[in-house]
Amino acid sequence: MTLPELLLPVTVLLPLGMAALILAVSHILPPRIADIAALAVSLAVMLLSGWLASVAMSQSAPVMHWFGGWSPGAHGSGNLILGIAFRADPVSAGVSAFVGLLFSAAFVFAWSYFDHIHSHFQVLMLLFLAGMQGFCLTGDLFNLFVWFELMSISAFALTAYPLGQSALDGAFNFVVTNAIAGFMMLGAVGLVYARLGTLDMVYMGQLAAERGADPVLIAALVLLAAALLTKAAIVPFHLWLADAHAVAPSPVSVVFSGAMVSVGLFGFMKLLLLVFSKDAAIITLAKPALMAMGGVTAIVGALMAWGQRHLKRLLAFSTISHLGIMLTGVASLSSEGLTGFALYLLGHGLVKGALFMVAGIMLALGASGDEIMLYRQGRRWWPAGVVMGLGGLMLAGLPFGPLHGGEEMIHHAIGHGPLFWAVSFATVLTGAAVLRATLRIFAGLSGAPGVEASAPTELERERADRPFALMLAPAALLIALAIILPASLAEASGQGFAVMSGLGSLAELAPPAAVPWTALSTVGLAILIAGLSLLRRRPTARIARTMARAERAPFTALEYVHSGLVGDYVVWTAVGLAGLSMWIGWQ
Amino acid sequence: MNAKARLSLLFIAFALLLPGIWSLAHALPPFGFPTELYGQAVNDIVPGLRHVANMITAVNFDVRGIDTVGEEMMLVGAVTGTVMLLRGSRGEDASDRADQKRGRPVIPRSDALVLMSRLSASIVMMFGIYIVAQGTETPGGGFQAGVLCATSFILIYLGDGYAGWRRLIPSPVMAFLEGTGGFVFVAAAAFPLFLGKAALENIIPTSDFRSMISGGMMILGNFAVTVAVAGSFGALMVEFMEETREPSEDDPAEGDGDEVDETQ
């Protein structure tokens, strides 16, 4: 066995082992040691996964590790696959490395924040990290489900940690909706296994290709889509996200929004590509449904984000919107769309991580997360405002870095139909929402608040027990990476997808346009919208009042659907599942 | 949405799902029809290879062992999360009267009850160890044995009361058992890597077919899981008992206004 093959399982076993060890000695362990150990492990995982990605790239084949030595054919198992493999192709390992980076940044940001709970924070975060690594790297469908659940369980507890009413409500909604997603996924695993008799994704793909459109496989795809799109917060499965992400402690929200949600979509993409895309009939059925869901999600998320005043809720809804954009890239299943998705995932995670850290800084130092209450309060901490402003500009499409590169490629992949406008609309409006909050908090610009004034908000704060510089540094690092990471990543990730899908090479990729006028126009529009909303005066004239009411109407309707009641969410999940099964299953 | 709208929407959704379920049900393999080669292959290969008779244990701890590592850590995570959330509102100190309702008289346990509980606690503990020791040969294994061992903790509580039980087993011991069990399992999974073999590879001699120490690594994994599960359930029990105590004034999460959280 070569060294990369030997080290592949360490990406999961190291955080698992460290979590167990910290738990065993938690009562005598000084908190600083737990902080250091957790940070060291996440850095090690990041470096290891990054290295595995480069090895897989240079050998043009995934790095494989068959647990227990149960490789196909071993011990006389013939052509049957009995064991479980980790399969580190360049893209999966790259995403794992990115997850490691985000965890490292979150651990620095959370330094000493969780001292009083006997290192339980570090234990749960390390289990969370291990779950995400396994989720990205495994090649086995049931094993994917195991890591999916490990991720969910640690995430539930971390969400509820603040223990206030809203934190418990948010965590409860998160538990119920994601547990239902877990059941659906388990059902799908059972169906696929009943039909194909194997759980290995690549082998499943080969068998599915021979079968042709089969009701059992279609049902499995519907259930898997509903389950993983719940994790990925796609309309109408998205309702839990804003409740959970807005109440989780900020260092946890960084990982939630930056990585957990998009990794859920990444898992779905992998199953689509490796298993279901081999069957042209199924893909023809599923593609338009997924595209439409992506477009609707982008628009709904952007509108909701614009209508928020609580920073973390605002960012959470913008995450939903961006996941919609990513889904359109995934659903195109073209080399451009997938490459765009991978770049977007990276860029979005970096920007969103930095933005959630700024929200955390305001919660700790400004003692509030409400953009209207924080009016002018941010001036003392202006460097955080610079980070947040840059983040808003990046979301609006500033032509630097992987976020913009990814968006360009997704635009290419989906063409110039209504989806193009949905994606552009989402880009402009989410960027504008962040810019509006930035200018209000840090530049002291504010007219009469518009629709955001009637949005729900919280009186809350987080412990301010660590220096400003320590909180700012990881945020600044993430936003700097989001800007300076080169566009040449596109080529690498394109080759990575070729290795992942087992095809020799995907079609040559068009480089992003040299002078990205469209990008500059979305940035300009976002600044314009944010500026106009801050210049707004209280509506006194009759016509102005009517207009303000008309403006508020769609936001009120949307807010009504996002009721925060878990019963509603479950019903919408059922409706989404029924819709998917009607659309995909009945053609 | 009000309850009526919610229910009717749910009903409509289920009605729309029916045709899909119908066509799925007709496409599935017929009930009881053996199509799976996996089970056959495991039955053919594993007894000769690992000298074990319990194929479920063999699949769980050897063929698909990494699944079980993940599941074991899932349990550890769930219990750690529960402990963190329950403790959050009241801190960690043990109280002598955790399971007593205020104002209700404490009736001392009869000697017969104490004796019976202690006796049966030891027997149940022995039974748990038997179940894990025979896990590779007869139905049973680490998870079941761990739950049995945790049951013996409950029996001790039944006889000696909460205070006596907490004196016998302080809270850090549970976290230690839980963490150590998990760590041993993960370390055992990782150890073959140092020898240049695959993780979880069976590197321990497997003894004779159906002997108590057959199965090699499976035995180590089973025992580690037992310890971790016993610790997990014990820790859960401590926290649930302590829940009867009112939150103290200086709670880390609520008392000093660190995280004031009120919906407007």
Side-chain angles (χ1 to χ4, degrees), chain A residues 15 66 150 240 290 346 390 395 407 431 478 494 506 561:
Chain A
W66 290 93
L150 181 61
W240 61 273
L290 296 174
L346 171 64
L390 280 174
L395 290 188
E407 176 149 357
L478 291 185
L506 297 183
V561 174

Side-chain angles (χ1 to χ4, degrees), chain A residues 100-422:
Chain A
L101 168 71
L102 215 54
F103 267 86
S104 310
F107 278 129
V108 173
F109 183 74
W111 198 260
S112 87
Y113 178 51
F114 293 93
D115 270 4
H116 60 283
I117 51 170
H118 275 321
S119 316
H120 285 165
F121 169 72
Q122 284 86 354
V123 172
L124 288 170
M125 283 290 271
L126 286 174
L127 292 178
F128 195 16
L129 172 64
M132 281 167 93
Q133 296 292 321
F135 190 81
C136 289
L137 294 173
T138 189
D140 182 280
L141 183 57
F142 186 81
N143 199 236
L144 186 84
F145 173 71
V146 169
W147 302 121
F148 173 91
E149 287 291 299
L150 181 61
M151 247 160 79
S152 301
I153 281 177
S154 23
F156 298 155
L158 288 166
T159 307
Y161 162 74
L163 285 176
Q165 186 61 46
S166 63
L168 293 178
D169 285 348
F172 184 67
N173 291 352
F174 187 17
V175 171
V176 173
T177 48
N178 280 262
I180 291 176
F183 291 137
M184 293 193 288
M185 183 150 171
L186 191 57
V189 173
L191 289 179
V192 174
Y193 185 69
R195 179 50 87 215
L196 301 178
T198 183
L199 291 166
D200 186 80
M201 290 184 209
V202 171
Y203 188 42
M204 268 160 54
Q206 291 168 10
L207 294 177
E210 294 162 13
R211 279 223 156 241
D214 175 300
V216 181
L217 287 185
I218 293 177
L221 174 63
V222 167
L223 282 172
L224 274 177
L228 288 169
L229 295 184
T230 302
K231 209 44 163 180
I234 298 297
V235 172
F237 306 109
H238 68 293
L239 293 150
W240 61 273
L241 182 137
D243 295 347
H245 288 208
V247 298
S250 303
V252 178
S253 300
V254 168
V255 177
F256 278 8
S257 252
M260 178 180 76
V261 194
S262 41
V263 161
L265 187 57
F266 180 76
F268 181 59
M269 184 280 296
K270 217 166 153 180
L271 286 172
L272 265 187
L273 185 67
L274 294 183
V275 182
F276 295 100
S277 74
K278 311 292 179 196
D279 183 344
I282 291 185
I283 283 306
T284 328
L285 293 176
K287 230 173 171 175
L290 296 174
M291 285 276 190
M293 285 169 85
V296 171
T297 307
I299 294 174
V300 169
L303 281 173
M304 285 302 289
W306 176 255
Q308 301 302 318
R309 59 190 284 183
H310 189 269
L311 284 181
K312 282 165 82 177
R313 261 183 92 77
L314 188 159
L315 293 174
F317 278 113
S318 83
T319 297
I320 294 176
S321 175
H322 294 132
L323 262 293
I325 297 179
M326 288 188 225
L327 180 60
T328 60
V330 168
S332 77
L333 274 177
S334 63
S335 64
E336 278 193 330
L338 293 179
T339 311
F341 161 62
L343 287 189
Y344 201 99
L345 185 153
L346 171 64
H348 168 262
L350 293 170
V351 171
K352 206 50 73 70
L355 286 174
F356 264 105
M357 285 179 187
V358 174
I361 292 175
M362 292 324 292
L363 276 167
L365 301 178
S368 172
D370 184 309
E371 87 172 65
I372 297 173
M373 283 163 64
L374 280 170
Y375 169 60
R376 292 168 70 97
Q377 300 288 312
R379 289 181 160 188
R380 271 193 289 162
W381 305 292
W382 61 268
V386 174
V387 170
M388 191 169 172
L390 280 174
L393 290 173
M394 291 297 291
L395 290 188
L398 208 61
F400 298 104
L403 186 65
H404 172 257
E407 176 149 357
E408 286 281 301
M409 307 199 83
I410 290 176
H411 268 315
H412 274 269
I414 58 182
H416 276 266
L419 269 184
F420 176 87
W421 295 108

Side-chain angles (χ1 to χ4, degrees), chain B residues 150-189:
Chain B
T151 311
S152 74
F153 298 158
I154 299 186
L155 285 167
I156 296 175
Y157 152 73
L158 194 66
D160 288 68
Y162 187 73
W165 182 62
R166 283 300 293 267
R167 268 197 302 280
L168 193 66
I169 311 168
S171 161
V173 170
M174 292 300 170
F176 179 75
L177 287 180
E178 197 186 346
T180 309
F183 181 72
V184 169
F185 195 14
V186 174

Side-chain angles (χ1 to χ4, degrees), chain A residues 422-438:
Chain A
V423 168
S424 305
F425 175 83
T427 307
V428 170
L429 206 57
T430 50
V434 174
L435 287 175
R436 183 194 68 201
T438 313

Side-chain angles (χ1 to χ4, degrees), chain A residues 15 43 63 79 92 94 105 132 135 151 182 204 219 239 302 354 356 454 456-457 466 514 521 528 553 557 568:
Chain A
L43 282 173
V63 178
N79 55 358
S92 304
M132 281 167 93
F135 190 81
M151 247 160 79
M204 268 160 54
L239 293 150
F356 264 105
S454 51
T457 184
R466 50 215 198 277
S521 69
L528 187 70
D568 290 2

